[in-house]
Amino acid sequence: MKKLTKIASVLLFAALSMAAFGCKKGTDEPDSTPVPPVEETVSPVAFSVAAGEVEKDTTVALSTSTEGAEIYYLVVKGDDTATLTAENYKTAGKYADPIAITEAVKIYAIAAKGEKVSEVTSAAYTIKVVAPVVPEDAMRLWTAESTATAWSVYNYEDLEKLAEVVNGGTDLAGIVITQKEDIAINEAVLGDGFVEPAEAEGAEPNADLINFAGIGSKDKSFAGTYDGNGKKITGLYIYGGQQGLGFIGAVNGATVKNVIILDGCVINKNVWEGLDSKGNPSHDGTDDDRFGGLIGVTKGGENTIENCIFVGTVGSEAAKVRGAAYDESDANPYEYIGGIIGRVESSTTANLKNCFSLVKLYGSAAALVKKVSGTANCTDCIGVSLDKKVYKTKDAESAKLDEEGGVTKAEVIEAVKTASGIDLTDYFTKAGL
């Protein structure tokens, strides 16, 4: 009996072992059911900067997570209705470097790999408007209650404010005004040969140009210090009708230094109303004299003008003709016109040092100072008019420009460059000299 039981146990163990082995073998056999291939997709393009308001010159990088994919993009500005699609993307630009945002734009982008493309993504950007920070010493902030003694000119708005203050009757005695930046008032004023802009009908200023009022007049003079600081003023256009007309109309014990005016034009309009009751020319004499490129007239005191340059035109053909059209018994109906100063009045002094001018002049005029009733001292100054007259004082030298024994153009250019760093070569060319 024991023997049979033992045999039965062995047979049972064998059967169980075979069953277990058979199950394991079945599990190891590969599944013959076909598995469909996974279709590769191209990930959409991502933008490194979120759409919306950004600072100017912000750069936006484009990317896709699909390895080996190329990115195409289109930048749309303003009202442009162009867009990017899966059909036209190859006509767009291929992305290589981050895109700088300099104005309002919308960027469309698509990624492509082989024949596969992503969906089109886009982001619109506008430029954040940053309120300008006005320096606390800017002249535009001046008020009648201001107590500061130093102000700065950064732009044309500051120049306008300075003119407004002085023309309103405040002479700014004891105040120092310093120009801190180059200022372009008009893009261009003079033509070849320094031809002045045409005036509008009726002796009115050219409507296409900004007409600067000038700082002061014979009756409202400037008595402070204006330091141009070697910064340039270009495109100066002054068209007016007053005695004492110029960048600074009148000075009274003032200091004007380091002022550089290039491509400037100052015109006193010289309007005659017709004949008076006795049949004589009618003219009140307020808009035909005492004007200059830099300063119109010295009204009082001792005035210092140093290291200044004026390049441009003073007067106009139209204004000169208006004066000459009437009674020739008037000694000169368009006079006291200077490249630097129009007239130095009696009991006043103008000390000029290292001042230069290259000017086209009309009427009774001189390249530095025309009329001296008071005292004018000129030290190391040179003025050249377009008729080639050379001035070192109020009177022209006997030898004209480039004549034997006289000053040469090259010497003038070198003198100006040494004194101020300004190269007048192109201006001599424009002047036809």
Side-chain angles (χ1 to χ4, degrees):
M1 187 65 179
K2 289 182 179 180
K3 185 175 181 180
L4 289 174
T5 300
K6 187 175 181 180
I7 291 172
S9 297
V10 170
L11 291 174
L12 179 60
F13 176 76
L16 291 172
S17 297
M18 289 180 65
F21 177 79
C23 290
K24 184 176 180 181
K25 182 179 180 181
T27 301
D28 285 346
E29 290 180 356
D31 189 349
S32 61
T33 304
V35 177
V38 177
E39 186 173 350
E40 184 180 20
T41 59
V42 180
S43 297
V45 176
F47 296 76
S48 64
V49 178
E53 197 175 54
V54 298
E55 293 184 0
K56 188 177 181 180
D57 296 322
T58 295
T59 56
V60 178
L62 308 181
S63 62
T64 175
S65 61
T66 300
E67 186 176 351
E70 295 179 323
I71 296 174
Y72 295 82
Y73 71 100
L74 177 68
V75 178
V76 178
K77 304 175 182 179
D79 297 328
D80 193 346
T81 58
T83 189
L84 188 69
T85 67
E87 288 72 35
N88 72 359
Y89 74 91
K90 288 187 177 180
T91 63
K94 185 180 290 187
Y95 176 75
D97 300 305
I99 304 161
I101 308 299
T102 58
E103 59 185 304
V105 296
K106 188 170 185 178
I107 303 175
Y108 294 91
I110 191 171
K113 184 175 182 180
E115 297 300 317
K116 302 293 183 180
V117 295
S118 71
E119 62 181 278
V120 176
T121 52
S122 65
Y125 299 96
T126 57
I127 302 300
K128 185 182 296 183
V129 177
V130 180
V133 177
V134 180
E136 61 181 13
D137 67 341
M139 188 66 204
R140 75 199 86 156
L141 300 181
W142 187 93
T143 69
E145 292 74 36
S146 297
T147 58
T149 58
W151 295 86
S152 296
V153 169
Y154 293 92
N155 56 22
Y156 182 65
E157 185 181 353
D158 289 325
L159 270 184
E160 280 191 305
K161 183 65 176 184
L162 176 57
E164 176 190 317
V165 171
V166 178
N167 294 340
T170 301
D171 65 11
L172 297 178
I175 305 299
V176 177
I177 311 294
T178 304
Q179 185 176 328
K180 296 292 182 67
E181 302 290 345
D182 291 338
I183 300 173
I185 301 175
N186 291 288
E187 184 176 349
V189 170
L190 303 176
D192 289 340
F194 283 16
V195 174
E196 68 275 11
E199 62 183 36
E201 187 175 351
E204 294 295 328
N206 187 299
D208 295 328
L209 297 172
I210 295 172
N211 184 20
F212 181 54
I215 302 165
S217 64
K218 184 183 177 185
D219 298 324
K220 295 175 181 177
S221 53
F222 175 70
T225 294
Y226 188 94
D227 183 356
N229 198 30
K231 301 297 183 180
K232 296 187 291 292
I233 295 174
T234 55
L236 174 71
Y237 176 64
I238 299 175
Y239 186 98
Q242 66 198 41
Q243 288 186 341
L245 188 69
F247 175 66
I248 300 177
V251 290
N252 186 351
T255 295
V256 181
K257 59 184 181 180
N258 307 316
V259 176
I260 300 172
I261 298 174
L262 306 174
D263 186 38
C265 184
V266 179
I267 299 172
N268 229 357
K269 59 186 180 179
N270 198 18
V271 174
W272 291 69
E273 299 298 336
L275 302 179
D276 62 19
S277 59
K278 296 181 180 180
N280 297 318
S282 174
H283 186 260
D284 63 12
T286 60
D287 61 4
D288 70 342
D289 64 19
R290 293 173 173 82
F291 63 105
L294 182 65
I295 296 169
V297 61
T298 60
K299 180 65 183 296
E302 185 167 344
N303 301 275
T304 299
I305 302 95
E306 60 185 21
N307 303 323
C308 294
I309 300 171
F310 181 84
V311 175
T313 296
V314 187
S316 77
E317 180 66 22
K320 186 184 77 170
V321 168
R322 270 192 289 273
Y326 288 92
D327 190 355
E328 294 183 0
S329 64
D330 188 334
N332 212 316
Y334 207 44
E335 60 183 347
Y336 309 151
I337 302 165
I340 299 296
I341 303 175
R343 176 167 176 158
V344 177
E345 298 282 24
S346 59
S347 302
T348 72
T349 299
N351 296 314
L352 286 74
K353 184 177 181 180
N354 288 328
C355 290
F356 302 92
S357 71
L358 174 61
V359 284
K360 183 173 186 176
L361 299 164
Y362 289 95
S364 178
L368 290 176
V369 182
K370 175 53 187 176
K371 177 68 174 179
V372 180
S373 297
T375 301
N377 301 308
C378 299
T379 304
D380 298 328
C381 298
I382 301 177
V384 178
S385 56
L386 265 61
D387 57 4
K388 293 192 174 183
K389 289 182 180 178
V390 176
Y391 297 77
K392 295 183 179 180
T393 63
K394 73 180 187 66
D395 300 313
E397 299 286 292
S398 57
K400 289 190 174 184
L401 186 70
D402 289 329
E403 285 186 348
E404 185 177 352
V407 175
T408 66
K409 179 176 71 174
E411 287 172 336
V412 176
I413 290 172
E414 184 59 31
V416 174
K417 189 182 293 185
T418 299
S420 67
I422 299 297
D423 188 348
L424 296 185
T425 302
D426 289 344
Y427 289 98
F428 269 92
T429 299
K430 188 170 185 176
L433 297 178

